[in-house]
Amino acid sequence: MRVLLPGNAKLCAHACSDAILELLRKCKTIAVVGLSSNPMRPSFGVTEYMQEAGYRIIPVNPNETEVLGEKSYARLEDVLEKIDIVNVFRRAEDVPPVVESAIRIGAKVVWMQSGIENKSAAEKALAAGMVVIEDACILVEHRRRLRELKR
């Protein structure tokens, strides 16, 4: 896992657990790029968990019309409401255009799921003032902090 915070571009692992806790407390609207309606896909299970945990989920996938009872959008730019976190379930090479879109819509966080890292896209998001999380599962990080989140 790699967490980049705007300002001092601090790279951290254990010290950033508090930063992730704060993000999970404050950021309640998550656009999920690459969300599939197939229950066998990791994107579905992870997002279903986050929805059940009380987060507003916005599917972003041009191949879907609805996922988890929510209208799916073809692009981040098509979403009319404010997005806090852009959660990316796409291959690393597909991340740069997602970051470009996230910057355009004014999202606060780009979260690349487990196994997804793209240094140039991360640096671009960071330079735009966004928090960047790479190679981390939002479900795992939420569960890790469940006790603190319930306080």
Side-chain angles (χ1 to χ4, degrees):
M1 172 172 64
R2 185 166 90 133
V3 178
L4 297 169
L5 304 174
N8 59 3
K10 186 166 111 186
L11 170 67
C12 45
H14 295 85
C16 284
S17 62
D18 289 343
I20 290 174
L21 178 61
E22 285 307 304
L23 288 174
L24 292 171
R25 276 192 178 133
K26 294 178 180 175
C27 299
K28 295 299 181 182
T29 303
I30 305 171
V32 185
V33 177
L35 178 56
S36 172
S37 61
N38 180 347
M40 300 306 289
R41 304 289 301 175
S43 65
F44 185 91
V46 168
T47 305
E48 183 178 45
Y49 170 88
M50 295 306 290
Q51 186 180 53
E52 289 172 359
Y55 293 84
R56 166 87 173 98
I57 298 301
I58 301 171
V60 179
N61 185 333
N63 301 314
E64 300 285 357
T65 54
E66 184 179 290
V67 184
L68 294 167
E70 299 289 344
K71 177 184 186 223
S72 184
Y73 295 87
R75 309 170 316 133
L76 285 168
E77 291 88 346
D78 297 332
V79 179
L80 298 177
E81 60 191 283
K82 186 162 176 33
I83 295 169
D84 297 317
I85 299 173
V86 175
N87 190 15
V88 185
F89 279 93
R90 298 289 316 225
R91 291 188 298 249
E93 60 268 23
D94 297 330
V95 171
V98 174
V99 166
E100 293 281 345
S101 293
I103 291 168
R104 274 195 293 278
I105 65 162
K108 298 173 187 168
V109 181
V110 170
W111 191 305
M112 298 177 226
Q113 281 296 127
S114 297
I116 305 170
E117 296 178 75
N118 187 303
K119 186 177 180 183
S120 63
E123 288 171 357
K124 187 164 198 161
L126 185 65
M130 301 176 77
V131 174
V132 179
I133 300 170
E134 293 180 287
D135 190 25
C137 178
I138 197 168
L139 178 155
V140 170
E141 298 306 320
H142 185 273
R143 277 191 182 152
R144 236 179 231 155
R145 294 162 180 82
L146 200 52
R147 184 175 294 140
E148 291 92 347
L149 287 164
K150 288 186 174 183
R151 288 184 193 165

